[in-house]
Amino acid sequence: TRTFFYSESYLYYITEGTVQIIRRYFMRLEKVQEALKTKKIHYAWYILACCFLINFIVQSIVMQLSNLYIVPMYNDLQVPRTLLSLQSICITVGAVVTAPYWGKLYKTKDARKLLPMAVSVVALCTIARSFCPSIWFILPLAFIKGVFFTGSTLLPISILLTMWFKERRGFAISFASIGTSAGGVVLSPVVSYLISDFGWRNSDRIVGIAMFIIVVPCLFLVVRSRPKDIGLQAYGAETSQAAGIVKEKAKQAAEAVG
């Protein structure tokens, strides 16, 4: 009985400690968010930084660096390379089929919840692949990854940047897209090192955990669907409104003179 009592107390204190840690973590997130709002830099640039980060890590690892895994997976699983190459096709099919549904979701739901969730599932699929014993488990998993891949990369990035940038939208989209190429260049030697020294399965686990630790918290902290969600206007909206007022007054003045 005494042992049971002590174990109950031990579990109670562990649970309470975990709750306190989570509570403090979210309190710090709120403080950082408030600090971001009060900065002179427009909040749209933080959104752009998150979009760049998504392309740099998620997009580049899933699409740009997938070929690095073909040879080690072939040596491990002993299946034709054509079957291993089908992973990219399964990802593409899953992405294309579900893209319209993701577009509707992002128009009606909160991107702060959808985007971290989609990245989390991509990270889980990346980790889960390391435990697959054969290609017939890997291919359905690749399709699932593709479903959530389209909900975590190009589609939400274009929607977010369109919402947040009234001016310099082209620059924002171009800068975000550079993240894919930059991620391919920077992360290629890192992933190659992980595969060669730790194996492709451990590399998948490390990469998936990195997505959880780096990308998901940043998205939850920073991303908002629309500027009005935090009481702001899109970048350049005030300038556009002022220009519209000036044009209207000039038109009225011209009509009065005429």
Side-chain angles (χ1 to χ4, degrees):
T1 306
R2 183 176 298 177
T3 304
F4 177 77
F5 174 76
Y6 286 147
S7 62
E8 286 282 318
S9 301
Y10 181 69
L11 290 173
Y12 172 77
Y13 285 117
I14 288 179
T15 304
E16 283 295 314
T18 305
V19 170
Q20 291 296 328
I21 290 172
I22 294 173
R23 187 176 298 169
R24 291 175 184 174
Y25 173 75
F26 280 101
M27 288 176 64
R28 289 180 181 178
L29 287 181
E30 294 296 331
K31 289 181 180 179
V32 173
Q33 180 187 347
E34 291 298 326
L36 290 176
K37 290 180 184 179
T38 57
K39 294 288 184 182
K40 293 183 179 180
I41 301 174
H42 196 280
Y43 200 86
W45 298 110
Y46 299 112
I47 300 293
L48 176 57
C50 283
C51 294
F52 181 90
L53 182 65
I54 292 170
N55 280 336
F56 185 85
I57 295 180
V58 181
Q59 173 83 8
S60 63
I61 288 175
V62 174
M63 300 303 292
Q64 298 284 331
L65 307 180
S66 59
N67 291 332
L68 297 176
Y69 288 87
I70 297 297
V71 173
M73 291 179 73
Y74 167 76
N75 294 332
D76 181 23
L77 301 174
Q78 294 297 312
V79 294
R81 297 190 184 186
T82 52
L83 279 179
L84 293 172
S85 300
L86 285 177
Q87 293 178 85
S88 299
I89 297 177
C90 290
I91 291 174
T92 303
V93 171
V96 171
V97 169
T98 57
Y101 300 99
W102 282 108
K104 293 178 182 179
L105 281 175
Y106 274 103
K107 288 181 180 179
T108 57
K109 305 297 182 180
D110 188 4
R112 184 188 184 186
K113 298 177 181 178
L114 278 179
L115 193 50
M117 182 272 294
V119 174
S120 297
V121 176
V122 172
L124 282 174
C125 290
T126 302
I127 296 172
R129 187 177 70 166
S130 66
F131 297 98
C132 290
S134 70
I135 188 65
W136 306 114
F137 291 89
I138 293 175
L139 293 180
L141 197 61
F143 178 82
I144 297 172
K145 181 187 283 189
V147 169
F148 288 90
F149 176 73
T150 191
S152 61
T153 51
L154 296 177
L155 184 63
I157 286 174
S158 61
I159 292 174
L160 284 173
L161 295 180
T162 301
M163 289 291 183
W164 277 93
F165 284 89
K166 193 75 172 179
E167 291 184 354
R168 307 196 68 179
R169 185 180 296 164
F171 167 80
I173 294 174
S174 300
F175 182 80
S177 64
I178 291 173
T180 305
S181 301
V185 172
V186 174
L187 298 180
S188 179
V190 176
V191 174
S192 298
Y193 167 76
L194 292 175
I195 293 173
S196 61
D197 281 33
F198 302 100
W200 72 270
R201 294 183 185 274
N202 286 326
S203 175
D204 266 352
R205 292 162 193 165
I206 294 170
V207 167
I209 292 171
M211 289 184 192
F212 271 120
I213 295 176
I214 300 173
V215 182
V216 174
C218 291
L219 297 180
F220 183 78
L221 173 64
V222 177
V223 169
R224 298 295 181 272
S225 297
R226 300 169 184 81
K228 66 179 182 180
D229 292 344
I230 53 175
L232 296 176
Q233 289 185 325
Y235 180 81
E238 296 179 355
T239 305
S240 299
Q241 290 176 358
I245 293 173
V246 171
K247 289 182 180 179
E248 185 65 25
K249 289 184 177 180
K251 182 179 179 180
Q252 292 176 357
E255 291 176 353
V257 172

